[in-house]
Each structure stands twice: as structure tokens, then as C-alpha cells.
Amino acid sequence: MKKFILASKSPRRKELLEKCGISFTCDPADINETVDLSLAKTEAIRLLAYRKAEEVFKRHREDIVIGSDTIVTIDDMILGKPKNREDAAGMLERLQGRTHMVITGLCILSDQRCYSDVSVAKVTFAKMDRKEIEKYVATGECDDKAGAYGIQGIGGRYVKRIEGDYYTIMGLPLNMVYEELRNQSLY
């Protein structure tokens, strides 16, 4: 019987996949996650998700591997995970009072099929003053998150509006996962 393998060490992706009621194990991909800037951002993130799934699939050829990656973009810039707290504060300053895009790539790979797609959501941040930004950065919540915020945590209080899939913003579009597994008669 095929097992599901999540090609990630992200606690958020693990938590989200558990919400689907899927039994799985984690085996994080170890790849260079540099975004190919010569590609459209949606294609670049779709390719990263595919590369993660492909690398893990080499170790689990009898199983079904789920790979995902997420980027935040604003002003045609990609905001990845902040390098440090100062970088996080700079990202939040750029986002505050504005709308940005969150793009999550998804790849579900098995010996019979490769599903690869992206989900895009728009997020509008409320205005934040410098003190709010510093206080949020000090919580540490933004340290390992693209765009320097977590919508599911304290950062959610700064989100004024979203257009699109909430779970895309968290890093794993659950409905896309469910629909594809159902289409493959795996769920």
C-alpha cells in the first residue's frame, strides 16, 4: 500500500495535512530553494514545489510525495524568509497598508502521475506603526515565514482582507490537495 510522504519540515504544512485526515510521514527535501528569477513567479514556485517532491520521490518511489513551496511578492519583489529581525521589520514596513500576493506551488508525485499547480491569494495588510512592527518582530513568529508574518498566529491581526484561499497563505492549499487525491482515487 502506498504511503503519503510530505516533502517538508514545515510545522504548518504538517498541521494542515493532518487537518485533511491523511496519514503521512515527513521527509524534508534538501534542495537549493533559490527562486529562478528568469521565470514568471508562479512558474518559478511551481517548479520549486516539483523539485522538492522529485528529490524526495527518489527515496520513496513506491509512495505518493507531496511537495509545496510559498513566496510572498510585492512591488515585483520576492519576500522570502527574513534573514534576521531587522530584515523582518523591513518586510513588514513594506507590506503595511498595502496588498501583496502569496503564491504557493503544489506538486503531488507518484509512479503513475505528477500533479503540479499553483494557488495565488491576495492579502491586504492594515497600517502598522513602528512600535507595532517592533513588538510583532520581537515575538519571533515572523522568523521562519515568507513575508515575515504568520496569518494563523499573531500576524493575523494585521490582515485586513484576503482574496483567495486562506490555506494558500499558510503554505498548503488543502482543497487542491484533497481534490487531486480524490481525482486519483487515493482519498
Side-chain angles (χ1 to χ4, degrees):
M1 184 171 168
K2 292 183 182 288
K3 295 183 289 187
F4 292 103
I5 311 294
L6 179 61
S8 177
K9 62 182 175 191
S10 163
R12 287 162 303 284
R13 287 192 181 103
K14 183 178 180 223
E15 174 188 339
L16 290 174
L17 201 51
E18 287 169 349
K19 286 180 188 263
C20 280
I22 297 171
S23 178
F24 65 95
T25 58
C26 291
D27 185 1
D30 184 21
I31 64 165
N32 177 345
E33 294 188 38
T34 303
V35 175
D36 185 344
L37 298 176
S38 70
L39 300 173
K41 288 174 182 60
T42 53
E43 179 59 18
I45 203 65
R46 187 198 62 76
L47 181 60
L48 270 176
Y50 170 78
R51 289 181 46 232
K52 284 182 174 182
E54 179 186 46
E55 196 261 336
V56 172
F57 185 69
K58 290 175 185 175
R59 297 189 295 270
H60 301 277
R61 294 212 177 263
E62 301 298 316
D63 297 318
I64 300 156
V65 178
I66 301 169
S68 187
D69 204 84
T70 301
I71 57 172
V72 171
T73 68
I74 190 166
D75 299 330
D76 206 34
M77 288 180 58
I78 295 173
L79 304 181
K81 295 177 183 177
K83 296 174 185 73
N84 52 43
R85 300 265 167 104
E86 184 179 315
D87 191 30
M91 288 183 192
L92 292 167
E93 284 179 13
R94 181 178 293 275
L95 296 176
Q96 61 103 12
R98 301 182 59 206
T99 300
H100 60 277
M101 287 192 342
V102 179
I103 305 168
T104 295
L106 173 68
C107 180
I108 301 175
L109 188 57
S110 71
D111 60 357
Q112 296 184 3
R113 183 171 160 89
C114 175
Y115 171 84
S116 181
D117 205 350
V118 296
S119 181
V120 179
K122 291 182 180 179
V123 180
T124 303
F125 252 46
K127 291 209 177 264
M128 302 166 71
D129 63 31
R130 184 67 188 170
K131 192 170 264 189
E132 284 177 298
I133 290 172
E134 289 172 1
K135 188 175 179 181
Y136 179 54
V137 169
T139 69
E141 182 178 272
C142 53
D143 291 353
D144 69 338
K145 294 176 182 67
Y149 73 94
I151 192 168
Q152 73 282 6
I154 299 165
R157 67 184 176 195
Y158 304 113
V159 175
K160 196 171 184 177
R161 181 176 64 245
I162 67 170
E163 296 173 48
D165 178 54
Y166 174 80
Y167 296 109
T168 291
I169 301 162
M170 282 185 66
L172 188 67
L174 292 184
N175 186 256
M176 285 174 71
V177 172
Y178 171 72
E179 290 293 329
E180 178 56 21
L181 295 181
R182 190 173 70 177
N183 288 343
Q184 291 188 44
S185 299
L186 299 169
Y187 189 76

